[in-house]
Amino acid sequence: GTFKSTLVLPDGREQVTGFPMAGELLAFDGLATGRHASSAVALEDAEVCSIPYAQLSALAASSRGMQQVLARLMSREIVREHSLMAMLGSMSAEERVASFLLNISHRLKARGYSPREFHLRMSRAEIGSYLGMKLETVSRTLSLFDRQGLVAVDKKHLRISDFEGLTRTMETRLQ
């Protein structure tokens, strides 16, 4: 299933930090200090496989293959964090939403699901929190993409009609 990971800011507001899906890692933020800074909430029916770090560490120590898998998973998290920081620091609202939708599409495709048509498990407000945008901006941007024929949106159901156009929207800053 899909989760929403969040941090509680010093002023009490909740900041969405990610939307982990089946096969992705949760709770790696606790490795550094022994305490988790974030929380995770399932946005749909989901299963979690809890592996105590001591057991995971012992397994990695005895298996070179497992060491490589863990390194790859941790590296993917670092890349995700860097991509998010770059997105928040340099992209327009349209670029952020396009990037978000294409990322969801890519991750669903990797799991054997349709990359073109899917149900957004998160609210517009949660997407906005993750992308550093207001709910209204997310909604306006999705409506704009719908009018432009890039996507078809019906509440939480989304169909990507024009992958190339959505990709061009995301990449406008790179040209």
Side-chain angles (χ1 to χ4, degrees):
T2 304
F3 289 81
K4 170 182 73 170
S5 58
T6 61
L7 291 172
V8 176
L9 302 175
D11 64 5
R13 288 179 298 137
E14 181 181 86
Q15 173 66 50
V16 176
T17 59
F19 298 103
M21 292 181 176
E24 295 177 346
L25 300 175
L26 289 171
F28 259 79
D29 65 326
L31 294 180
T33 63
R35 294 196 63 203
H36 298 284
S38 64
S39 299
V41 175
L43 298 176
E44 61 185 322
D45 289 344
E47 292 183 28
V48 176
C49 178
S50 176
I51 304 170
Y53 182 67
Q55 290 178 336
L56 189 61
S57 184
L59 182 60
S62 67
S63 168
R64 181 155 170 70
M66 182 55 91
Q67 286 176 357
Q68 291 173 340
V69 168
L70 282 175
R72 202 173 11 247
L73 290 171
M74 288 184 189
S75 176
R76 187 179 338 156
E77 282 301 300
I78 292 168
V79 167
R80 186 188 70 78
E81 291 285 331
H82 286 160
S83 295
L84 179 59
M85 291 300 103
M87 179 181 1
L88 294 176
S90 65
M91 289 185 171
S92 70
E94 291 83 8
E95 291 166 329
R96 290 180 197 191
V97 174
S99 178
F100 176 78
L101 295 176
L102 290 168
N103 177 269
I104 295 283
S105 171
H106 174 75
R107 290 162 61 205
L108 288 170
K109 182 179 180 182
R111 286 159 182 75
Y113 297 107
S114 171
R116 184 169 296 281
E117 194 162 345
F118 46 89
H119 191 76
L120 292 169
R121 302 295 177 189
M122 62 292 296
S123 69
R124 304 286 195 271
E126 290 166 336
I127 294 169
S129 175
Y130 178 68
L131 296 176
M133 300 165 54
K134 298 284 186 197
L135 155 77
E136 296 82 3
T137 306
V138 173
S139 294
R140 276 194 307 269
T141 303
L142 288 172
S143 294
L144 172 66
F145 288 174
D146 193 51
R147 286 192 308 276
Q148 292 174 337
L150 300 174
V151 300
V153 183
D154 182 18
K155 296 180 181 76
K156 288 192 167 196
H157 188 81
L158 188 127
R159 183 175 34 78
I160 298 176
S161 309
D162 183 356
F163 272 103
E164 294 76 23
L166 202 55
T167 301
R168 278 191 306 276
T169 299
M170 181 190 72
E171 295 174 340
T172 55
R173 193 136 341 251
L174 302 175
Q175 297 175 359

